[in-house]
Amino acid sequence: MQLPIIKIPITEILLGKNVRLFLKREDLIHTEISGNKFWKLFYNINLYLDQAIKEKKIITFGGAFSNHIFTVSAVGKIYKIPTLGLIRGEELAGKWQENPTLRKAKENGMEFRFISREKYREKEILTKNLKKEFPDALIIPEGGSNTLAIKGIQHMLTDETKEFDYLCSAVGTGGTLAGISHYAAENQKVLGFNVVEDSSLEEKIFNWSGKKNFELISASFGGYGKISAENVRFINGFKEKYSIQLDPIYTGKMMQKLFEMIENNYFEDGTKILAFHTGGLQGIEGANLLLRKKFENLKVQ
Ligand SMILES: *Cc1c(COP(=O)(O)O)cnc(C)c1O
C-alpha cells in the first residue's frame, strides 16, 4: 500500500462560537480503502507484501456491516490477493446477498465463512485453527486493531495537527484512539467517542498507547450499530450546512456528541479542537436498508 499522494485537508467547521472546530478528512485518502482503516492496515499489509510467500491470502473477522471487512476486500482486489472473511452470524449464510457491505466485499473477491455468535466469541480458538489451516496467510484481528495498526495511525498526525488543544476520534475497538494517544504531542488532550459500550476499552487503549492523555466519552446513542432518527437528522443537517458526509455508525455519533459538548461549554474559550473523519461511508447503504424497516421517509441523505 502506497502512502497517499494527496495531502489530507483540514477543514474548519464554522460554529460561530468561542471555540474553533476542525475536521481532518481521512475519508478522502482513497475511494475504497478510506479513513482510519487505511492506516490500520498500512504496515500489516506492507510487511506481508514484502514477504516471499507464493500463495498469499488475507483472513479477517467482522460483522455484516463492517467497514473493516469491506476495506480488506478492497485491498485484496487491488493487490490481487485472495481474501477470506469470517462473518459473525450463521443466519447470514443464506441471505448475505441482501447485505450491501457483504455484496460489495464479494464483488471485490472475498470468500466468506459464516460463524455462529458463540463460536465467533472464541476468537483465540478460531485464530489458532485458521493458522493451522492457512499457515502462510496474514490473519488480521477484528476491526484491524493490533500493534502494527497502532503504528500506522501515526500518519494521521502531522506538524499541522500539533496546533490543536484536543484531538477527537470515534472509538470501536480502540486501536485508532490508542494510536492518536500514543503519537499526540505532549500538551494535547485526546477524546475518544465510544460507539460501543465496552467496559474493557479504557484498559485496552492504555495497554496499546502507554499514555493516559485520553478520555472516553460515551456516544453509543442506544448501542453499537443502532441508528436513531435524531442522529440521522443531525447527519443530514450537517451535510446540508457543511457539505460533508458523515456516517451513522461512527463519525455522525461523534460529531453530534461533540456539538452537544460545545453547546454545554465543556471547552474553555479559545480552545482549538480537531476531529478526525475516519471514513465509514460505505456503511450508509446498509444503514438505510435498516432504517427503511423502522421509519418511513427517513434516510441518510
Ligand atoms: C473502525 C472505525 C472506527 C473505530 O476504529 P477503532 O480503531 O476500531 O476504534 C472509527 N470510525 C470509522 C469510520 C471506522 O470504520
Side-chain angles (χ1 to χ4, degrees):
M1 288 166 73
Q2 297 188 343
L3 283 162
I5 299 147
I6 60 156
K7 189 168 176 295
I8 307 302
I10 295 178
T11 312
E12 179 157 14
I13 305 297
L14 289 168
L15 301 170
K17 301 262 176 205
N18 297 336
V19 300
R20 292 176 73 190
L21 174 63
F22 296 78
L23 194 56
K24 186 157 184 277
R25 302 288 308 276
E26 303 294 336
D27 58 311
L28 300 176
I29 288 179
H30 188 279
T31 49
E32 285 178 288
I33 319 173
S34 94
N36 62 334
K37 299 299 187 284
F38 180 95
W39 296 119
K40 290 175 82 172
L41 289 172
F42 186 73
Y43 290 108
N44 280 293
I45 300 287
N46 283 346
L47 287 178
Y48 186 64
L49 290 175
D50 284 347
Q51 285 176 36
I53 293 170
K54 267 215 197 85
E55 305 224 347
K56 292 194 170 79
K57 188 179 193 76
I58 306 173
I59 305 175
T60 195
F61 307 85
F65 295 94
S66 162
N67 293 327
H68 172 67
I69 285 287
F70 172 73
T71 309
V72 168
S73 77
V75 168
K77 183 181 79 175
I78 293 163
Y79 293 95
K80 301 192 170 56
I81 301 172
T83 53
L84 171 65
L86 275 73
I87 311 297
R88 184 179 57 231
E90 270 173 321
E91 74 283 359
L92 289 160
K95 54 175 186 186
W96 61 264
Q97 290 91 339
E98 294 166 24
N99 177 290
T101 300
L102 296 180
R103 218 164 46 225
K104 286 180 279 188
K106 187 74 173 185
E107 277 164 24
N108 284 340
M110 184 175 261
E111 297 291 330
F112 300 133
R113 280 186 193 174
F114 296 95
I115 311 287
S116 71
R117 277 150 221 277
E118 299 77 62
K119 286 214 181 107
Y120 191 90
R121 240 172 266 136
E122 308 286 331
K123 278 191 211 67
E124 278 167 29
I125 299 173
L126 272 180
T127 308
K128 215 171 99 196
N129 291 339
L130 283 167
K131 274 192 185 135
K132 261 192 231 148
E133 189 178 348
F134 303 103
D136 285 340
L138 171 65
I139 302 174
I140 303 175
E142 184 179 44
S145 286
N146 58 15
T147 314
L148 285 175
I150 286 142
K151 180 174 147 96
I153 298 296
Q154 68 180 289
H155 298 290
M156 284 168 52
L157 303 170
T158 62
D159 277 345
E160 265 184 293
T161 66
K162 287 196 184 118
E163 42 169 298
F164 294 91
D165 304 302
Y166 283 86
L167 301 174
C168 304
S169 172
V171 175
T173 60
T176 303
L177 200 81
I180 294 172
S181 156
H182 185 77
Y183 293 103
E186 203 152 324
N187 57 334
Q188 290 181 308
K189 295 189 195 86
V190 177
L191 297 180
F193 294 80
N194 54 298
V195 304
V196 182
E197 293 297 345
D198 172 357
S199 56
S200 68
L201 260 178
E202 181 142 353
E203 194 184 336
K204 269 202 310 204
I205 295 169
F206 178 67
N207 286 341
W208 274 320
S209 155
K211 286 196 198 167
K212 198 74 236 269
N213 54 354
F214 68 90
E215 191 180 329
L216 288 177
I217 289 158
S218 173
S220 76
F221 290 99
Y224 180 63
K226 298 278 190 304
I227 306 164
S228 70
E230 186 199 359
N231 191 235
V232 173
R233 288 191 198 103
F234 175 85
I235 290 169
N236 291 342
F238 188 91
K239 184 175 175 186
E240 207 164 288
K241 190 149 183 207
Y242 302 110
S243 300
I244 295 172
Q245 180 77 64
L246 301 172
D247 83 290
I249 309 296
Y250 292 100
T251 56
K253 289 182 174 180
M254 166 186 73
M255 198 52 81
Q256 187 179 339
K257 190 76 198 180
L258 197 45
F259 269 45
E260 275 172 33
M261 289 166 71
I262 292 169
E263 203 54 49
N264 296 333
N265 299 314
Y266 177 94
F267 301 100
E268 274 176 40
D269 283 2
T271 302
K272 278 177 84 183
I273 307 158
L274 180 67
F276 291 95
H277 191 320
T278 41
L281 303 181
Q282 73 80 28
I284 291 175
E285 203 185 336
N288 278 339
L289 269 184
L290 295 178
L291 279 169
R292 214 160 61 192
K293 290 185 192 153
K294 248 171 76 181
F295 307 102
E296 260 178 73
N297 300 325
L298 184 72
K299 60 181 243 179
V300 180
Q301 299 290 343

